[in-house]
Structures are given as C-alpha cells and as structure tokens.
Amino acid sequence: MTDQNTKEIQKLRSFLKQSSRAVVFTGAGISTESGVSDYRSKGGIWDRFQPVTIQEFLADEEKRREYWHRKKEMFTEMKDAKPNAGHEAIARLEKLGKLIGVITQNIDGLHQMAGNQKVLELHGTNRETICLACARTGPFESVYQRLLQGDEIPLCRDCRGFLKPNTISFGQALVVEVLNLAIEWARNSDLMLAVGSTLVVEPAASFPRLAKRAGANLVIINRDPTPLDSLADLVLHGTAGPILAEAIG
Ligand code: ZN
C-alpha cells in the first residue's frame, strides 16, 4: 500500500461511514483475483475464438458442440474458485446494513458464495443450467459431470430440449426486470462503488452515471484508468481485494 493509497483509503472509509444506501457494481476485475479468467478481455476465450451467439447455438449442432467445449473450460476454472478479500469485504457491507445490493456483470456466483444475498446478475449465472424448451433449471455440477464423461451436447433429461448455462448469451437481450431494478438501485444509492469494471460498455457505464446524477458519491476501484474517472469523487488504481479489505475491514 503506497502513501497515496493510504490517503485514498481514508477517504473511502469516510464515504462508507456517511453512507447507508451503498451500491457496489462489479466487473471481471474482482473475479480475476479469484483466478476466474476475464473471458471478454484480450486473450480471453471470447477474444481467441469467435463467440457463439444464441441464434447459432439454436440452429447449428457444430456450434453447440463448440459452445459446450468452451463452457467446460470455464466450469473447470469456476468449480475451484473461492471468493477473495474483495468479495468478503463487500459481503460485510451487506451484513452491516449499508448496502442496497450488488450489481454484477460476473456469472461466477462468487458474491453469493461470500454471503451477499442482494445480488443482481446482469449476465445471468454459470452456476445453473436451464432447459431452453421446458425452462427446468439445475446445478451446473451435474452437467459438468456429463461433459467430463464425454457428453458433448447435454440435453434435458425430462424433455430432450437444449440445455444451456443460465447466462445471457451473445445475441440475447438482458432481462428487463433485472436491468430496471439495477437502475432503481443506482438512482437510490448514496454511494456507488464501481469495482473491477472497465466501465466502457453499456449498460455498465450507465450505473455510475445514474448514481452520480442522483447525488451519490462515486468511487472507482480498478487496475486501469476508466473513461469515468474524471466523474468520480475518488479513484483508486490497484487490486480491489486488498483495497476493499483495508477500507471495510
Ligand atoms: Zn426440458
């Protein structure tokens, strides 16, 4: 921790002290600290390979095989991932009664594992599979076992429909109810902590803006600069886990 960071952490502490309606918005950066790859970043799975859209998944058996092949890689990584100091600090904020909730772009379920109950997953979750025909959901572990046993395109055991992780795929719209609630949380917050997000794509970038416009303090914690840094009341460039652990305790 540098001296500069110490000063900034004190400022973050004082923002947290004043706040009773904080919202935490998280992106891939917090997950990479738990060893979960940033799939959309440079060198990530979706950078190395053309993403499979939902339309291709539905129409083409070869695309379904390719899709599941990559999901198997993701599941392998995710099954051993544990929440890190950043997730745990955010969970403490909820226990302290300071948090409206967490809005996340991540699909690894690590916030819930850390103990957060109020979590909006904008892109859905990899922890669960859903049948695209009968909508039956199940834990990812059982499908993961089938993948390991050589089932390349797992089908629903009830109706033989296509199974898919319960995520928002490329070419699929976000869930309107989830998005609307996230917007409401941002508008009602008195402190917005944006953690581990590049804040480049929409709607990610809109939550800090909405909160700021509604009078909240905006704090950005990210390894690299973001386009919204100039709008923020406080910017911390560094690793989120140690920073949050230090500020929240
Ligand atoms: Zn089914």
Side-chain angles (χ1 to χ4, degrees):
M1 236 20 90
T2 62
D3 287 349
Q4 185 59 25
N5 261 352
T6 308
K7 220 161 142 195
E8 286 158 347
I9 282 168
Q10 276 165 3
K11 197 168 174 193
L12 174 54
R13 276 202 198 114
S14 91
F15 280 150
L16 285 162
K17 206 170 165 191
Q18 294 161 31
S19 164
S20 58
R21 300 189 317 277
V23 169
V24 181
F25 175 73
T26 63
I30 194 165
S31 291
T32 54
E33 292 174 34
S34 283
V36 176
S37 304
D38 180 358
Y39 307 113
R40 295 176 193 234
S41 75
K42 209 164 166 42
I45 288 179
W46 301 127
D47 181 51
R48 284 182 283 139
F49 308 97
Q50 184 75 14
V52 175
T53 64
I54 185 73
Q55 292 79 12
E56 290 168 331
F57 180 91
L58 290 170
D60 183 343
E61 186 179 328
E62 206 40 56
K63 290 289 181 186
R64 286 194 288 280
R65 186 169 291 120
E66 189 183 326
Y67 175 92
W68 275 113
H69 182 70
R70 292 178 208 164
K71 278 290 170 179
K72 193 165 121 187
E73 271 187 56
M74 290 189 191
F75 284 174
T76 302
E77 197 177 73
M78 191 182 72
K79 76 175 170 37
D80 296 325
K82 300 271 181 302
N84 62 57
H87 294 106
E88 281 160 10
I90 294 166
R92 277 197 291 282
L93 279 184
E94 187 173 306
K95 285 200 188 79
L96 291 168
K98 285 190 164 287
L99 208 60
I100 296 180
V102 178
I103 305 169
T104 187
Q105 295 175 287
N106 302 331
I107 55 175
D108 50 42
L110 291 176
H111 285 298
Q112 291 91 329
M113 272 175 84
N116 279 97
Q117 297 187 349
K118 296 185 284 181
V119 182
L120 293 178
E121 296 174 304
L122 294 174
H123 297 153
T125 180
N126 246 350
R127 294 260 167 205
E128 182 178 276
T129 54
I130 184 161
C131 170
L132 296 181
C134 75
R136 189 190 171 115
T137 58
F140 89 94
E141 286 89 350
S142 60
V143 172
Y144 181 59
Q145 286 310 318
R146 288 167 65 182
L147 293 169
L148 290 178
Q149 286 156 18
D151 189 352
E152 291 183 307
I153 306 170
L155 297 177
C156 175
R157 286 201 159 130
D158 290 339
C159 78
R160 308 298 293 161
F162 297 142
L163 289 178
K164 204 182 81 58
N166 204 354
T167 56
I168 307 293
S169 290
F170 287 88
Q172 221 173 357
L174 300 190
V175 177
V176 173
E177 292 78 11
V178 173
L179 189 56
N180 284 344
L181 194 53
I183 289 169
E184 194 185 310
W185 284 7
R187 284 193 176 135
N188 286 325
S189 68
D190 60 7
L191 174 65
M192 168 67 70
L193 295 181
V195 180
S197 171
T198 54
L199 300 176
V200 173
V201 291
E202 293 296 343
S206 65
F207 300 115
R209 276 207 202 90
L210 283 170
K212 189 70 198 143
R213 210 173 297 149
N217 286 314
L218 171 60
V219 178
I220 295 176
I221 304 172
N222 197 46
R223 197 187 54 192
D224 303 313
T226 81
L228 297 190
D229 285 4
S230 58
L231 190 72
D233 299 279
L234 175 64
V235 179
L236 285 130
H237 288 146
T239 316
I243 290 171
L244 289 169
E246 181 90 8
I248 298 166

